[in-house]
PDB file of all heavy atoms in Angstrom:
ATOM      1  N   ALA A  21      96.389  91.551 261.833  1.00  0.00           N
ATOM      2  CA  ALA A  21      96.320  90.103 261.679  1.00  0.00           C
ATOM      3  C   ALA A  21      97.678  89.588 261.211  1.00  0.00           C
ATOM      4  O   ALA A  21      98.280  90.135 260.280  1.00  0.00           O
ATOM      5  CB  ALA A  21      95.227  89.743 260.655  1.00  0.00           C
ATOM      6  N   ARG A  22      98.151  88.503 261.855  1.00  0.00           N
ATOM      7  CA  ARG A  22      99.455  87.940 261.496  1.00  0.00           C
ATOM      8  C   ARG A  22      99.277  86.789 260.530  1.00  0.00           C
ATOM      9  O   ARG A  22      98.574  85.825 260.807  1.00  0.00           O
ATOM     10  CB  ARG A  22     100.167  87.457 262.766  1.00  0.00           C
ATOM     11  CG  ARG A  22     101.621  87.101 262.509  1.00  0.00           C
ATOM     12  CD  ARG A  22     102.368  86.871 263.779  1.00  0.00           C
ATOM     13  NE  ARG A  22     101.889  85.669 264.450  1.00  0.00           N
ATOM     14  CZ  ARG A  22     102.331  85.269 265.651  1.00  0.00           C
ATOM     15  NH1 ARG A  22     103.229  85.974 266.310  1.00  0.00           N
ATOM     16  NH2 ARG A  22     101.844  84.158 266.181  1.00  0.00           N
ATOM     17  N   ARG A  23      99.929  86.880 259.363  1.00  0.00           N
ATOM     18  CA  ARG A  23      99.777  85.895 258.286  1.00  0.00           C
ATOM     19  C   ARG A  23     100.505  84.602 258.613  1.00  0.00           C
ATOM     20  O   ARG A  23     101.559  84.608 259.251  1.00  0.00           O
ATOM     21  CB  ARG A  23     100.334  86.447 256.967  1.00  0.00           C
ATOM     22  CG  ARG A  23      99.493  87.550 256.358  1.00  0.00           C
ATOM     23  CD  ARG A  23     100.012  87.887 254.952  1.00  0.00           C
ATOM     24  NE  ARG A  23      99.776  86.818 254.021  1.00  0.00           N
ATOM     25  CZ  ARG A  23      98.819  86.826 253.086  1.00  0.00           C
ATOM     26  NH1 ARG A  23      98.030  87.873 252.944  1.00  0.00           N
ATOM     27  NH2 ARG A  23      98.672  85.803 252.281  1.00  0.00           N
ATOM     28  N   THR A  24      99.952  83.501 258.071  1.00  0.00           N
ATOM     29  CA  THR A  24     100.612  82.196 258.183  1.00  0.00           C
ATOM     30  C   THR A  24     101.193  81.737 256.846  1.00  0.00           C
ATOM     31  O   THR A  24     101.944  80.763 256.814  1.00  0.00           O
ATOM     32  CB  THR A  24      99.605  81.125 258.637  1.00  0.00           C
ATOM     33  OG1 THR A  24      98.487  81.147 257.762  1.00  0.00           O
ATOM     34  CG2 THR A  24      99.150  81.383 260.064  1.00  0.00           C
ATOM     35  N   ALA A  25     100.818  82.381 255.746  1.00  0.00           N
ATOM     36  CA  ALA A  25     101.232  81.915 254.415  1.00  0.00           C
ATOM     37  C   ALA A  25     101.216  83.086 253.443  1.00  0.00           C
ATOM     38  O   ALA A  25     100.501  84.068 253.701  1.00  0.00           O
ATOM     39  CB  ALA A  25     100.279  80.826 253.919  1.00  0.00           C
ATOM     40  N   PRO A  26     101.935  83.018 252.326  1.00  0.00           N
ATOM     41  CA  PRO A  26     102.974  82.028 252.021  1.00  0.00           C
ATOM     42  C   PRO A  26     104.166  82.172 252.966  1.00  0.00           C
ATOM     43  O   PRO A  26     104.231  83.119 253.747  1.00  0.00           O
ATOM     44  CB  PRO A  26     103.353  82.374 250.578  1.00  0.00           C
ATOM     45  CG  PRO A  26     103.070  83.840 250.464  1.00  0.00           C
ATOM     46  CD  PRO A  26     101.851  84.069 251.319  1.00  0.00           C
ATOM     47  N   ALA A  27     105.099  81.221 252.897  1.00  0.00           N
ATOM     48  CA  ALA A  27     106.208  81.191 253.845  1.00  0.00           C
ATOM     49  C   ALA A  27     106.928  82.527 253.918  1.00  0.00           C
ATOM     50  O   ALA A  27     107.304  82.978 255.004  1.00  0.00           O
ATOM     51  CB  ALA A  27     107.171  80.078 253.459  1.00  0.00           C
ATOM     52  N   ALA A  28     107.068  83.201 252.780  1.00  0.00           N
ATOM     53  CA  ALA A  28     107.819  84.461 252.761  1.00  0.00           C
ATOM     54  C   ALA A  28     107.119  85.552 253.566  1.00  0.00           C
ATOM     55  O   ALA A  28     107.759  86.525 253.984  1.00  0.00           O
ATOM     56  CB  ALA A  28     108.030  84.928 251.320  1.00  0.00           C
ATOM     57  N   LEU A  29     105.804  85.423 253.740  1.00  0.00           N
ATOM     58  CA  LEU A  29     105.042  86.467 254.464  1.00  0.00           C
ATOM     59  C   LEU A  29     104.604  86.005 255.849  1.00  0.00           C
ATOM     60  O   LEU A  29     104.054  86.795 256.609  1.00  0.00           O
ATOM     61  CB  LEU A  29     103.799  86.866 253.655  1.00  0.00           C
ATOM     62  CG  LEU A  29     104.018  87.331 252.208  1.00  0.00           C
ATOM     63  CD1 LEU A  29     102.701  87.781 251.595  1.00  0.00           C
ATOM     64  CD2 LEU A  29     105.046  88.440 252.137  1.00  0.00           C
ATOM     65  N   ALA A  30     104.850  84.742 256.194  1.00  0.00           N
ATOM     66  CA  ALA A  30     104.399  84.207 257.489  1.00  0.00           C
ATOM     67  C   ALA A  30     105.064  84.992 258.615  1.00  0.00           C
ATOM     68  O   ALA A  30     106.259  85.274 258.570  1.00  0.00           O
ATOM     69  CB  ALA A  30     104.738  82.732 257.574  1.00  0.00           C
ATOM     70  N   GLY A  31     104.253  85.367 259.592  1.00  0.00           N
ATOM     71  CA  GLY A  31     104.761  86.125 260.739  1.00  0.00           C
ATOM     72  C   GLY A  31     104.659  87.625 260.566  1.00  0.00           C
ATOM     73  O   GLY A  31     104.833  88.355 261.545  1.00  0.00           O
ATOM     74  N   ARG A  32     104.396  88.070 259.326  1.00  0.00           N
ATOM     75  CA  ARG A  32     104.229  89.519 259.097  1.00  0.00           C
ATOM     76  C   ARG A  32     102.769  89.862 259.336  1.00  0.00           C
ATOM     77  O   ARG A  32     101.877  89.053 259.097  1.00  0.00           O
ATOM     78  CB  ARG A  32     104.601  89.901 257.659  1.00  0.00           C
ATOM     79  CG  ARG A  32     105.962  89.424 257.191  1.00  0.00           C
ATOM     80  CD  ARG A  32     107.114  90.046 257.899  1.00  0.00           C
ATOM     81  NE  ARG A  32     107.247  91.501 257.697  1.00  0.00           N
ATOM     82  CZ  ARG A  32     107.889  92.063 256.676  1.00  0.00           C
ATOM     83  NH1 ARG A  32     108.404  91.332 255.711  1.00  0.00           N
ATOM     84  NH2 ARG A  32     108.011  93.373 256.608  1.00  0.00           N
ATOM     85  N   TRP A  33     102.519  91.107 259.715  1.00  0.00           N
ATOM     86  CA  TRP A  33     101.166  91.565 260.061  1.00  0.00           C
ATOM     87  C   TRP A  33     100.567  92.357 258.902  1.00  0.00           C
ATOM     88  O   TRP A  33     101.288  93.057 258.168  1.00  0.00           O
ATOM     89  CB  TRP A  33     101.224  92.411 261.320  1.00  0.00           C
ATOM     90  CG  TRP A  33     101.605  91.593 262.516  1.00  0.00           C
ATOM     91  CD1 TRP A  33     102.853  91.122 262.821  1.00  0.00           C
ATOM     92  CD2 TRP A  33     100.739  91.120 263.555  1.00  0.00           C
ATOM     93  NE1 TRP A  33     102.811  90.378 263.986  1.00  0.00           N
ATOM     94  CE2 TRP A  33     101.528  90.376 264.465  1.00  0.00           C
ATOM     95  CE3 TRP A  33      99.370  91.256 263.813  1.00  0.00           C
ATOM     96  CZ2 TRP A  33     100.985  89.770 265.603  1.00  0.00           C
ATOM     97  CZ3 TRP A  33      98.846  90.664 264.949  1.00  0.00           C
ATOM     98  CH2 TRP A  33      99.648  89.929 265.832  1.00  0.00           C
ATOM     99  N   GLU A  34      99.251  92.253 258.767  1.00  0.00           N
ATOM    100  CA  GLU A  34      98.563  92.929 257.669  1.00  0.00           C
ATOM    101  C   GLU A  34      97.191  93.407 258.113  1.00  0.00           C
ATOM    102  O   GLU A  34      96.680  93.001 259.156  1.00  0.00           O
ATOM    103  CB  GLU A  34      98.390  91.972 256.471  1.00  0.00           C
ATOM    104  CG  GLU A  34      97.422  90.839 256.775  1.00  0.00           C
ATOM    105  CD  GLU A  34      97.050  89.989 255.555  1.00  0.00           C
ATOM    106  OE1 GLU A  34      97.620  90.186 254.467  1.00  0.00           O
ATOM    107  OE2 GLU A  34      96.168  89.128 255.728  1.00  0.00           O
ATOM    108  N   LEU A  35      96.605  94.229 257.275  1.00  0.00           N
ATOM    109  CA  LEU A  35      95.198  94.552 257.339  1.00  0.00           C
ATOM    110  C   LEU A  35      94.512  93.411 256.577  1.00  0.00           C
ATOM    111  O   LEU A  35      94.781  93.217 255.384  1.00  0.00           O
ATOM    112  CB  LEU A  35      94.933  95.900 256.667  1.00  0.00           C
ATOM    113  CG  LEU A  35      95.679  97.064 257.318  1.00  0.00           C
ATOM    114  CD1 LEU A  35      95.596  98.316 256.446  1.00  0.00           C
ATOM    115  CD2 LEU A  35      95.165  97.351 258.723  1.00  0.00           C
TER     116      LEU A  35
END
Side-chain angles (χ1 to χ4, degrees):
R22 191 170 67 184
R23 289 188 69 104
T24 54
L29 305 184
R32 309 293 296 274
W33 293 75
E34 68 171 6
L35 299 169

